[in-house]
Amino acid sequence: MSTVQCQAPRVTIREIGNYVDQEVCLLGWLYNKRSSGKLHFLQVRDGTETIQCVMFKGDFSEEVFKQADTVPQESTIQIIGTVKRDERSPLGYEIAVKHFELLNEAQEYPITPKEHGTAFLMDHRHLWLRSSRQHAIMQIRSQIIQAVRNYFDQNGFTLVDAPIFTPNACEGTTNLFETEYFEEKAYLTQSGQLYMEAAAAAFGKAYCFGPTFRAEKSKTRRHLTEFWMVEPEVAFNNLDDNIDLAEDFVVYIVQHVLQTCRRQLDVLERDISKLENIQKPFPRITYDEALQILKEKGTPEQQVPWGEDFGGDEETVISQQFDRPVFIHRYPAQCKAFYMKADPENPKVALNVDMIAPEGYGEVIGGGQREDNLDILTHKIQEHQLPMEAFDWYLDLRRYGTFVHSGFGLGIERTVAWICGLHHVRETIPFPRLMGRLRP
Ligand code: 4AD
Ligand code: MG
């Protein structure tokens, strides 16, 4: 398979606007087509975008014109032609084809433009990624991650990578993935937080960004077994400072996507006005105030007794009262992790915070102020029946210059689901890992 040599510059569709009325060479795949006797309209994608390429019968030999009409979907093709403005197309341009070359004829492609079931599409995820909606989602995901990195890199944070193999649990022992580690057991990390606390003492402001793992046995639309989390941790930040940071960060991410991903949001038919609303300040309510909302607006099943955490349905009811994300702080200490600092004014509640996205997208951020007292933390580890020896290094952070500090974790996939307006997190990550799904 070799391409035709030509004088025209090889360009990507994304940059095609720079070549109006000029001849260009495009390499890509046939996405879709329609014909009307004398004209073929080929939708060609090259990975950056999709563009309509128009072939007039009179410009080609009978053989080539016929070939272009029968080329299977996803065949590899080369197009040489002139870029024209086309106000009716979403891209704003089309190509008047001068030369059409079939580089590789694809076999019958399983994903046709008709509707397919989700299980079928998930089984063909490696091909489904080429479809326009999935393509738009992955580009938005990529920009969200770029915004995450920009934000911390530009605000004095040091990137400190946390390990994947860990000797201990961070977020409870019920959903750990266990693995052999030579003569001992290790667990896939649930969170880099404990390491970021060490990093905060070493660097002041630190963050990690990487995959995290939880053996979630429930099949919900918000849970993956492997997901990506960004976790900042800041020395001398208290709970309020932590909420200020999370708020500023989330506004930055949404604004970045609005600036860089208009086309993709259009493909997804996302209501942009809902995203434009995401401005400071976000409402901040206590757990007790959230319970009151459930009392007034929730169904009888959504009446959570004091002390229990909220589930997805309750979070949806709470989020519906606001037009932007809501911070819920000071949950009962009993339903939160061992490292949370108790509120000195009411030790029954923790100095923690969750951020619930609007429109029912659920908890996107979890974090809080950490217990900094050696004796209390030691006691908490015992109380949670965690193995003390695995946490000895963590207790060192309280032995040698303990300090007020806070941080949070933002889940990338839930953020993508919210910003893109997707019902299920399985479409927010290139190759999702769910209970019962390990391939492709
Ligand atoms: O609330 P979580 O469990 O908090 C922590 O792990 C803290 N140690 C973070 C920290 O303070 N540094 O998880 C944080 C976020 C959630 O709000 C959610 O967005 C995401 O991680 N998350 C999941 N996303 C997809 N699938 C799952 N199974 C998830 N579990 C948590
Ligand atoms: Mg949480």
Side-chain angles (χ1 to χ4, degrees), residues 5-146:
Q5 295 299 315
C6 67
Q7 295 298 312
R10 183 150 82 80
V11 301
T12 61
I13 303 173
R14 184 183 282 155
E15 58 187 353
I16 213 107
N18 301 330
Y19 296 89
V20 176
D21 295 329
Q22 293 178 45
E23 197 168 286
V24 297
C25 168
L26 262 191
L27 293 170
W29 299 267
L30 183 71
Y31 189 64
N32 205 349
K33 69 171 184 306
R34 67 190 167 83
S35 283
S36 67
K38 289 197 165 69
L39 291 168
H40 296 327
F41 300 95
L42 312 180
Q43 300 295 326
V44 177
R45 56 167 203 91
D46 75 341
T48 66
E49 283 281 1
T50 302
I51 192 167
Q52 173 160 282
C53 300
V54 186
M55 294 176 71
F56 287 93
K57 190 172 185 178
D59 293 342
F60 300 89
S61 70
E62 203 167 307
E63 187 192 357
V64 171
F65 195 71
K66 196 164 171 203
Q67 185 188 39
D69 196 27
T70 53
V71 176
Q73 194 186 339
E74 287 303 319
S75 292
T76 319
I77 56 181
Q78 180 179 11
I79 297 280
I80 298 165
T82 309
V83 180
K84 298 283 174 202
R85 279 190 201 283
D86 175 21
E87 303 307 336
R88 290 155 305 167
S89 77
L91 190 69
Y93 306 97
E94 64 176 24
I95 293 186
V97 183
K98 290 200 172 139
H99 185 88
F100 170 91
E101 188 76 20
L102 176 61
L103 301 178
N104 177 259
E105 183 171 319
Q107 296 182 21
E108 196 180 335
Y109 192 61
I111 306 180
T112 56
K114 71 165 200 221
E115 291 268 317
H116 293 282
T118 309
F120 176 86
L121 290 168
M122 292 298 284
D123 287 342
H124 293 85
R125 183 66 175 165
H126 50 297
L127 302 177
W128 191 23
L129 286 173
R130 305 177 187 188
S131 303
S132 60
R133 275 181 59 85
Q134 300 307 313
H135 188 263
I137 295 165
M138 287 309 128
Q139 285 190 316
I140 293 172
R141 178 188 169 100
S142 170
Q143 284 300 329
I144 287 172
I145 292 172
Q146 191 168 315

Side-chain angles (χ1 to χ4, degrees), residues 170-171 191 193 214 216 222-224 227 229 231 339 363-367 370 407-409 411 414:
C170 177
E171 294 299 323
S191 158
Q193 179 196 319
R214 298 191 193 178
E216 304 283 2
R222 293 175 183 154
H223 288 91
L224 293 156
F227 61 98
M229 184 159 43
E231 297 180 86
Y339 53 70
E363 181 204 319
V364 167
I365 285 180
R370 321 307 187 184
F408 62 83
R414 291 193 191 170

Side-chain angles (χ1 to χ4, degrees), residues 136-243:
I137 295 165
M138 287 309 128
Q139 285 190 316
I140 293 172
R141 178 188 169 100
S142 170
Q143 284 300 329
I144 287 172
I145 292 172
Q146 191 168 315
V148 161
R149 289 202 180 283
N150 285 349
Y151 184 86
F152 291 121
D153 294 345
Q154 290 165 10
N155 283 286
F157 284 72
T158 302
L159 174 69
V160 181
D161 302 309
I164 304 287
F165 287 128
T166 61
N168 53 262
C170 177
E171 294 299 323
T173 49
T174 53
N175 61 12
L176 281 171
F177 276 114
E178 194 179 291
T179 174
E180 297 288 321
Y181 195 77
F182 304 105
E183 253 72 273
E184 53 180 327
K185 280 191 187 357
Y187 307 100
L188 299 186
T189 185
Q190 297 165 307
S191 158
Q193 179 196 319
L194 307 187
Y195 302 95
M196 288 310 101
E197 292 184 53
F203 302 95
K205 298 204 246 179
Y207 78 102
C208 64
F209 176 54
T212 45
F213 307 86
R214 298 191 193 178
E216 304 283 2
K217 295 201 185 71
S218 57
K219 294 186 179 176
T220 78
R221 63 192 186 89
R222 293 175 183 154
H223 288 91
L224 293 156
T225 55
E226 179 179 314
F227 61 98
W228 286 66
M229 184 159 43
V230 57
E231 297 180 86
E233 191 74 29
V234 182
F236 308 112
N237 263 11
N238 64 19
L239 178 63
D240 289 335
D241 302 327
N242 196 40
I243 299 177

